Structure formats: structure tokens, C-alpha cells
Amino acid sequence: MATQLVPASESGTRRHGPHPRLARGLRVAAVLILLLAGWGFLQASPPGIAAASVDFTSDTSYAAALQTITDLGLQTALPCFGGANQIWTPMGERDLLQMHRLWVVATPIAAPAWFGRLRTTPSVTHIDGGPFRFACPNFPAHPVGPVSLGDDAPTIYIA
Amino acid sequence: MTFGAAAGYDNALAEVADLGLRLADPCYERSWTRHLPLFWHSMGQTAAFASGRTLIVATTDVAPTTWQDRLRQSASVSGIDTSYASPC
């Protein structure tokens, strides 16, 4: 049997734009993509990041910067320090904030989205999650003075 | 750890940061280690500090081995309790 082709404009089935189901699917996909993008922004990005350098606005005080990061469950910590039996140095980084920058590391109570939260904090101008490469100095095998507890030390809660 | 009347929250935080200690929430941390549902909240302790001049903190790998001595010698710290038992 021969089939007669009828132009869509004459058949009455011509539609402008994609099929309704396809259009609905595209809308749902677009919403999902936006949601995922937003969620990804709020999550620690890049994933698995545990430390960052954080630049603050020039008018941010040390107290305000410190409260910002501790509210998020972060702490200040200098690169190259912290290994067991390494020379200890104060970790507050008060001097470093003169350059409007703090090095921070995540603690067990860090916000799941701390990287994204910091990035959207008004007093923060830039945040860099690395990866970092540091040229750390050689420490003496038996340093004089206080040393750091190191990774293997058990956590002690203090009240 | 308990601070004297002259110490503000800012000073207390600075003291904690200098010593390589961190703010702690033992209940939250216990839930985390036990893989229980977690509901994160701001970890600041301004309210507790305002009412009792206390902070709940924890040692970290960047704290000095002499942290207890240093805390006891601090002019702004009036007391520390290392036998803290979590209420949860």
C-alpha cells in the first residue's frame, strides 16, 4: 500500500518548538543542573579539601577573622608545623593577618560546606584550597624547647 | 576552660588559637565518629562564654606538649578541667 506523505503544516499536527514531553524533560533537567551546581558551590570545592589560605578585607580585624573561622569549625595552623616532636610555634597567626591572610585547617566540627561558606563571607576576598607545595625547613632531630603533639596524640577535651 | 572576668571572647579565642587548641563540640564529634545523623550548627561559643566564661576546647596535633603548663601560666585563664565528661 502506498503511503502519502502529508506536509505537517497541512496535517494540522505542526508544533512550534520541541514536543511537550521533551520540553518538560528539558526544564526538569535544567532545574536539576542548577540545583546540583548550587549544591556543588556550597560543598567543599574542590572536594576533600582540608586546608586553605583565606584572604580577608583590609578592614577585617584579627578578632573578627578568628571568629569567622572558628564559628565554621576551622582553626588556624601554620604550614610546615604540627608533626610529632617538631618545634612548636604559636599558631594564632596574628602577625600573618597584617597581610590580611590566615591559613586555616578543618577540624572534626567543621561545617560540611565550610569552603563555600567562607567564599561567600563578606569579609573574605579570596580563598585558595590548594594543592599547596611548601619548602619546609629541616627541623633538628632533637629540638630545644616545646614540640608539637603530633597526629598520634589522643584528643583531650578541656572545659 | 574558664577565663577570668577581664578576658573577652576575642581574647579567649586568640589564646586558644595560639596554643593550637580548637573549639570542640563533644556531642557532635561523638555522633560523627558513630556515623549518626549530624546536624551542623555554628560552632561559636559566645553564648556559653557570656554566661559562664567557659570554652569547651580540644587538643590538636599542632598544640605543644606543654599546653597544660601554658594554660595554667596564662593570666587570662582561671581554670582548666581535663576530665571533662560529655553530657551526651
Side-chain angles (χ1 to χ4, degrees):
Chain A
M1 183 192 318
T3 303
Q4 186 179 1
L5 294 175
V6 179
S9 57
E10 295 176 14
S11 67
T13 59
R14 184 176 184 179
R15 292 183 177 88
H16 295 284
H19 189 279
R21 282 189 179 174
L22 178 60
R24 193 182 316 134
L26 287 173
R27 281 196 297 270
V28 170
V31 169
L32 282 175
I33 288 171
L34 287 173
L35 285 174
L36 288 172
W39 179 250
F41 176 77
L42 286 174
Q43 290 299 299
S45 49
I49 190 168
S53 73
V54 186
D55 293 347
F56 290 88
T57 56
S58 58
D59 61 345
T60 304
S61 67
Y62 177 73
L66 199 54
Q67 186 161 351
T68 295
I69 67 161
T70 53
D71 280 356
L72 285 173
L74 309 172
Q75 73 172 119
T76 52
L78 292 166
C80 296
F81 293 92
N85 296 318
Q86 279 189 356
I87 298 171
W88 180 79
T89 187
M91 291 290 155
E93 303 183 21
R94 188 185 296 267
D95 295 340
L96 203 59
L97 197 69
Q98 291 173 0
M99 295 183 289
H100 316 300
R101 174 172 293 179
L102 289 179
W103 289 98
V104 302
V105 295
T107 79
I109 58 172
W114 66 268
F115 194 93
R117 287 174 189 249
L118 265 182
R119 193 159 51 186
T120 56
T121 299
S123 62
V124 172
T125 59
H126 181 70
I127 177 169
D128 185 354
F132 304 107
R133 285 188 175 186
F134 298 105
C136 297
N138 291 324
F139 292 107
H142 302 290
V144 177
V147 294
S148 300
L149 289 174
D151 289 333
D152 294 334
T155 299
I156 298 174
Y157 291 105
I158 309 144
Chain B
M1 50 196 290
T2 309
F3 290 81
Y9 185 70
D10 296 346
N11 305 116
L13 275 188
E15 184 112 22
V16 165
D18 268 345
L19 270 181
L21 305 175
R22 64 170 176 83
L23 297 185
D25 183 338
C27 292
Y28 182 90
E29 293 171 35
R30 177 176 290 190
S31 296
W32 185 75
T33 55
R34 294 183 178 182
H35 304 289
L36 297 174
L38 288 173
F39 302 99
W40 190 85
H41 55 88
S42 174
M43 292 297 170
Q45 298 183 18
T46 49
F49 188 86
S51 61
R53 312 208 62 76
T54 60
L55 291 181
I56 309 296
V57 302
T59 56
T60 74
D61 62 327
V62 296
T65 51
T66 55
W67 64 267
Q68 289 199 50
D69 296 335
R70 288 172 181 267
L71 282 180
R72 291 196 177 97
Q73 291 165 5
S74 168
S76 59
V77 176
S78 60
I80 61 172
D81 177 8
T82 56
S83 60
Y84 174 71
S86 169
C88 50

